[in-house]
Amino acid sequence: KLQFHFNEHIFRLEQEVYESEGVSVPWTDYKDNQAILDLLELKGSGLFPMLDEEIQLPRTSDSTYLSKIQTAHEKNPHFVRTPASKLRIPNERQCFGVCHYAGPVYYDVTNFLDKNKDAVNADVKAMMKKSETPFVKSIMSLTDDDEGAEKSKVRSRGGTAKKKQRTLAIQFKDSLEALIESLSERVPHFVRTVKPNASKSAFTFDSELVLAQLRYSGLLEVCRIRK
């Protein structure tokens, strides 16, 4: 989303300003990552919503989640069903890939469901609430407030009401949206960092690595539009 925010301000909005002022500039093509954002978070079919749905269903596992997303996104050009064997990625049969703007990234689904639940042991919560340190005690109070505000009641098959869990994916999405909203209310200034080499060595400049980073981050297009 931060890359999308960068694209919005540097490319689309900038070009619209030029057009409104009658300044003739050639249209600059750039990599729009909206399709990748949809793959990750589109309601119903995104990787995050499907992960949240999976932990609400009975008899599910990391493998069932992987199978469902492979089926749902099999034809999506930004989704990699299974890493190629030549990449030698550990536990490759439990992995999938997402082609981000900077290249493909592979994810191992092992323990995805448990991590997404983000459950704190009840004994740990009880112990922290009894802490004599005000700060420690306040942490659990804030957690309880968040759970009460964010969890909604849903009906199970048996007709009893239970709270919908505030998952790690939801927390991450809400946190990122709050950041983007805050950034959108301000005039942004972007600073791009470029790694001179992959080994983090002094006085070493890898021109191919630097050029790849400039291309992935859209800086070459920025230079064209700012001429």
Side-chain angles (χ1 to χ4, degrees):
K1 278 197 170 184
L2 290 175
Q3 179 65 21
F4 181 80
H5 182 72
F6 173 80
N7 290 343
E8 282 281 290
H9 280 271
I10 297 299
F11 297 116
R12 190 180 67 81
L13 297 180
E14 186 94 359
Q15 288 176 330
E16 288 179 357
V17 169
Y18 288 158
E19 289 182 356
S20 67
E21 294 179 351
V23 179
S24 178
V25 293
W27 186 265
T28 302
D29 292 327
Y30 60 93
K31 293 183 178 179
D32 186 354
N33 65 340
Q34 181 61 56
I36 301 173
L37 294 178
D38 291 342
L39 169 63
L40 294 173
E41 61 182 24
L42 189 66
K43 187 176 181 180
S45 63
L47 299 180
F48 288 155
M50 290 183 70
L51 181 60
D52 289 340
E53 180 184 17
E54 197 72 359
I55 66 174
Q56 303 293 335
L57 300 174
R59 296 185 296 277
T60 57
S61 65
D62 299 323
S63 296
T64 60
Y65 170 68
L66 179 61
S67 177
K68 288 179 180 178
I69 63 174
Q70 286 175 336
T71 301
H73 300 288
E74 186 175 10
K75 297 181 180 180
N76 191 318
H78 301 286
F79 181 82
V80 182
R81 182 182 177 89
T82 306
S85 300
K86 63 181 180 181
L87 296 176
R88 297 183 179 180
I89 294 177
N91 201 25
E92 64 180 37
R93 292 190 177 182
Q94 286 294 103
C95 296
F96 68 92
V98 175
C99 295
H100 295 278
Y101 72 94
V105 179
Y106 298 98
Y107 302 91
D108 188 336
V109 300
T110 303
N111 296 325
F112 253 37
L113 268 63
D114 285 340
K115 290 177 181 178
N116 193 43
K117 292 176 183 176
D118 194 34
V120 180
N121 186 281
D123 292 338
V124 174
K125 292 180 70 173
M127 179 185 67
M128 293 182 70
K129 285 181 178 180
K130 294 179 180 178
S131 173
E132 295 180 358
T133 304
F135 174 71
V136 175
K137 194 172 183 178
S138 67
I139 293 175
M140 298 316 301
S141 298
L142 290 172
T143 302
D144 290 340
D145 291 342
D146 288 342
E147 289 177 352
E150 297 293 341
K151 288 182 179 179
S152 59
K153 290 186 176 181
V154 295
R155 292 282 174 182
S156 65
R157 292 182 180 179
T160 57
K162 64 177 182 179
K163 290 183 177 180
K164 184 177 180 181
Q165 188 172 357
R166 180 170 163 77
T167 63
L168 195 62
I170 291 175
Q171 295 177 49
F172 175 75
K173 182 174 179 291
D174 290 348
S175 176
L176 193 54
E177 286 181 348
L179 173 61
I180 295 299
E181 183 179 351
S182 177
L183 292 175
S184 299
E185 296 173 351
R186 292 161 175 79
V187 178
H189 297 273
F190 299 95
V191 177
R192 287 287 188 179
T193 58
V194 178
K195 295 180 181 179
N197 60 76
S199 60
K200 299 180 181 180
S201 302
F203 309 111
T204 303
F205 185 85
D206 185 337
S207 59
E208 291 187 1
L209 176 64
V210 171
L211 180 58
Q213 293 175 80
L214 295 177
R215 285 174 173 163
Y216 291 149
S217 61
L219 288 182
L220 297 182
E221 288 79 6
V222 172
C223 292
R224 293 191 189 102
I225 198 174
R226 291 296 176 93
K227 281 183 179 180

